[in-house]
Amino acid sequence: MKSLRCLIAIFAMFFASAMLAPSAQAQSRCTGKFVNPITDVCWSCLFPLSIGGLSIWPSTRPDTNNPSLPICACGSPIPRIGIAAGFWEPVRLADVSVKPWCFVNLGGMKIAPGFDIGQGQFTGPSQVGGQAQNTSKWHVHWYVYPLLYWMEILTDFLCFEQASFDIAYMTEVDPLWQDDTLTTIINPEVVIFANPIAKAACAGDCIAATARLPLDVTFWCAGCQGSMYPMNGNISSSIGHVQASRLALSRFAFKMHRQGLAWGTMGSKGMCDKYLMPVLKKQQYRIQMTNPIPTVSGKMGCSPIGASTLPPQTGRSYPVQGEDMGYLVWRKRNCCVL
């Protein structure tokens, strides 16, 4: 009788494991595809193209302020005269996923080092303090991706970032990305903006980013997505995969600037060289989805940081196959063409 019970228990465990294994495997499986530079890139996001304050290739997409004079000068002791150009350049590619070591834009490969580190999560509604709340934890992979330079669209154009493809950053190995307390090392000002008044200001940033450009004065806000603090992937209020992943990416961009790993390129200060920008100017960037479904057209094809995700991103995240996000990051470049 005892042996019969043991046999029944073994069969029950075997049956349960057989039923649960596909689900567990589906939850941990990394999905994605390689980015096709022809069909998966919103090429209209290059524009507007300006010379000084004049838009020579206009666009319906909002643009940052450009230097008013078409002539510029760089170099010392004898400055060289050039033309002040302004354009948008695709320079970085980013994976954003709750699954550690998931390289979405590299075809959905999962390259694990063999040890347990950096586990992410996406939790459904729970009651916290009497209020329903969703939480999530995301990881970001940051690729050097100077697409215009590779494709040689304009040869010998020194304003393009000239670099090769590289995986520049992985948050799984960054302890500051894992823990809110450690993150205060790079964002100690978080205590100033942890109040209802500062959070209410983000509503105005949400409207501005959706209508045109985000408000750089409210640097602690990521518009409709939430707060820029803490500068990590721990999202306390997740509405959905698109909103939460864009917020994680916006925070990561801020973190890169704060650590001196990303620089300012827009405005008069960027005409001759890049400059330190420890406080992120959100207007410098546009974000375009590449995975699971690329946004390659429309006004919100490459929307600013903090813009609403409701009009352009509806239906672009779906269960199992469409839960890992990939983005192409466009950066405004003002440059003195010598």
Side-chain angles (χ1 to χ4, degrees), residues 28 98-101 110-120 137 139 172-173 178:
S28 62
V98 298
K99 304 163 189 173
W101 312 107
K110 195 167 186 179
I111 310 173
F115 51 90
D116 187 20
I117 186 173
Q119 294 299 320
K137 181 177 181 179
H139 282 292
E172 288 90 343
V173 296
Q178 313 289 336

Side-chain angles (χ1 to χ4, degrees), residues 12 14 16 23 59 84 108 111 132 151 159 171 181 209 239 241 276 279 281 295 301 318 321 334:
F14 176 79
S23 176
S59 171
I111 310 173
M151 300 186 72
C159 291
T171 57
T181 303
I239 300 172
H241 279 71
L276 281 173
V279 177
K281 292 185 177 180
T295 54
Y318 45 91
Q321 293 291 332
N334 285 109

Side-chain angles (χ1 to χ4, degrees), residues 57-198:
W57 197 314
S59 171
T60 58
R61 304 183 192 281
D63 193 18
T64 62
N65 294 327
N66 297 291
S68 57
L69 296 177
I71 304 299
C72 56
C74 292
S76 62
I78 302 176
R80 297 174 60 189
I81 305 301
I83 298 174
F87 61 96
W88 290 85
E89 181 183 13
V91 289
R92 297 292 182 267
L93 202 62
D95 303 325
V96 190
S97 177
V98 298
K99 304 163 189 173
W101 312 107
C102 177
F103 293 84
V104 184
N105 290 308
L106 294 183
M109 291 192 299
K110 195 167 186 179
I111 310 173
F115 51 90
D116 187 20
I117 186 173
Q119 294 299 320
Q121 54 92 13
F122 196 100
T123 306
S126 60
Q127 290 294 324
V128 179
Q131 297 180 345
Q133 188 174 25
N134 296 3
T135 61
S136 58
K137 181 177 181 179
W138 298 80
H139 282 292
V140 178
H141 303 144
W142 192 247
Y143 305 83
V144 177
Y145 197 76
L147 192 56
L148 297 183
Y149 172 65
W150 295 346
M151 300 186 72
E152 298 183 354
I153 292 178
L154 291 175
T155 57
D156 299 327
F157 189 50
L158 298 180
C159 291
F160 288 160
E161 180 172 349
Q162 302 180 17
S164 58
F165 179 85
D166 190 18
I167 302 176
Y169 209 101
M170 295 181 292
T171 57
E172 288 90 343
V173 296
D174 182 1
L176 299 184
W177 188 259
Q178 313 289 336
D179 186 86
D180 291 351
T181 303
L182 289 176
T183 307
T184 57
I185 295 174
I186 59 172
N187 58 240
E189 72 275 13
V190 63
V191 297
I192 302 175
F193 303 106
N195 61 78
I197 298 176

Side-chain angles (χ1 to χ4, degrees), residues 240-263:
H241 279 71
V242 177
Q243 171 266 339
S245 62
R246 282 181 62 102
L247 177 55
L249 179 56
S250 300
R251 290 180 176 183
F252 179 82
F254 201 156
K255 172 183 167 67
M256 294 293 283
H257 277 268
R258 179 58 57 90
Q259 296 177 169
L261 300 176
W263 295 58

